[in-house]
Every structure is written in structure tokens, then in C-alpha cells.
Amino acid sequence: MIVALIIACEVGFWVLLAAGLAVRYLLKMRRTSVVLLLCEPILEVVLFVVTAIDLKRGAEPSWEHGLAALYIGFTVAYGHYTIRWLDGHASHRLAGGPPPVKPPRYGMARARHEARIWVRTVIAGAVACALLQGAVLYVGDTGDASSLRSFQGAALRTVGIHGLIALTYLIWPKKAPERSAADGASEERSLTKR
């Protein structure tokens, strides 16, 4: 039941997001789109409440409960970022707005970008671990909470692995490709024609 609800919440997230952006840019109803987009967190609250009720009714803590906590943590950390990213693309494609700013590709700017993304993963892991610890305390001595603790370990490993990947951008920053003399000359000619 919890897995079906997680899938429903994920589908609901994308449906609300698509509806909110369509209403904003195709129907030009900004307030209605804000209301639709503000309904997104309700999905996570519903998932949290149903998971708590399931545990309260005596369900044995299992991987479904751990997955629900990881999903909520990910949505808390990355939900707004995803909405903002897609809003920029929808504005560009549907409303003639400026093209969205692309993340930096090279050097320390890329390292800073990767560090900011990693901080979101830290937030996701912290939220998931806190929810899982709350579930462990909620279950208490009445059930086996080992599956919940294993998901805490999975969240921490994910944060650690992503941190190592982000660190590689700092230690070995990717260098911009060098321009050849022909590329520089053609770019200079195009600038003088303007």
C-alpha cells in the first residue's frame, strides 16, 4: 500500500507541476498556477500521515516505510529546485521568456555549483534520517526497526558518495577547451559584422 502511495505521490507531483505551468503560461492565470504549485507539499504530508498511521496500526516496519522517508527527503530538498528549473524552461518555450541560465561547465564555478547541489542532497539525507529516526522511536520495542535503520545507512551513504563526486570537481576542475586560432578569427569576424 505504501509503495502504491509513493507512486501516486510521484505521479501527482508531475501532474500538478504540468497543470500549474500550463495554467501559468498557456492560460495566463498566474494566481491559479501558484495555488496548484502550492498543493505539491500536500502530497508529502499525505504520504507522511499514511505511513505514520500504517506504523501505528501495528504494521511491521519494512522497506516501504524507509522508501517513503527517502522520497519525502528528496522532495523536500529537490522539489522547489525542480519546479524552478522547469518553470524557467516553460517560460522560455511557452511565453517567449529568456533562455534559462545553464549551470557552469568549467573551473571553480562548476565546483561551486556541484557543492550547492550536494548541499541539497545533505538536506534530503537529513530529512530522511530524521523521519526514519522518528519512525524508529515511534515503533519502539514493539517491532523490528532494522529495516528503518538500514535506510538511514543508505541515506548517509548516498550523501557521502555524492559528496565525493562533488569534491572531484574541486580537486580536478574541468578546464574549458582551448580555442584554436581559426575559431577565434571567425568569432572576431562575426562580432565586427554586428
Side-chain angles (χ1 to χ4, degrees):
M1 176 177 127
I2 300 295
V3 174
L5 186 59
I6 291 170
I7 293 169
C9 286
E10 182 66 14
V11 170
F13 175 84
W14 291 106
V15 167
L16 283 172
L17 182 56
L21 294 176
V23 166
R24 174 176 288 179
Y25 294 111
L26 298 177
L27 302 178
K28 309 290 189 221
M29 300 171 69
R30 189 161 178 79
R31 287 186 184 162
T32 305
S33 75
V34 169
V35 170
L36 285 170
L37 293 174
L38 286 175
C39 289
E40 302 270 0
I42 294 171
L43 298 172
E44 280 64 47
V45 171
V46 168
L47 180 60
F48 177 73
V49 169
V50 169
T51 303
I53 289 170
D54 191 43
L55 288 172
K56 182 69 173 173
R57 288 185 177 165
E60 191 67 30
S62 64
W63 65 271
E64 291 103 347
H65 301 103
L67 184 62
L70 292 180
Y71 176 79
I72 291 170
F74 179 83
T75 305
V76 166
Y78 283 95
H80 179 70
Y81 178 80
T82 304
I83 291 170
R84 193 175 63 224
W85 182 80
L86 284 172
D87 185 46
H89 284 278
S91 171
H92 175 63
R93 300 271 185 195
L94 302 175
V101 177
K102 293 183 178 180
R105 296 177 63 189
Y106 307 107
M108 292 309 293
R110 178 62 186 242
R112 284 189 293 277
H113 171 75
E114 292 297 329
R116 285 191 296 272
I117 297 296
W118 176 69
V119 168
R120 290 186 181 282
T121 302
V122 170
I123 292 168
V127 169
C129 284
L131 289 174
L132 289 164
Q133 187 59 38
V136 167
L137 296 173
Y138 191 62
V139 170
D141 296 333
T142 60
D144 180 25
S146 61
S147 65
L148 299 175
R149 287 195 177 92
S150 71
F151 268 91
Q152 284 179 319
L156 293 174
R157 282 190 301 278
T158 302
V159 169
I161 291 168
H162 190 183
L164 289 173
I165 292 169
L167 188 60
T168 63
Y169 285 94
L170 180 65
I171 296 171
W172 300 289
K174 187 175 179 183
K175 295 180 182 176
E178 294 184 26
R179 295 182 180 176
S180 67
D183 292 340
S186 66
E187 185 177 317
E188 187 176 320
R189 277 193 301 259
S190 69
L191 289 174
T192 57
K193 287 180 182 177
R194 290 182 187 173

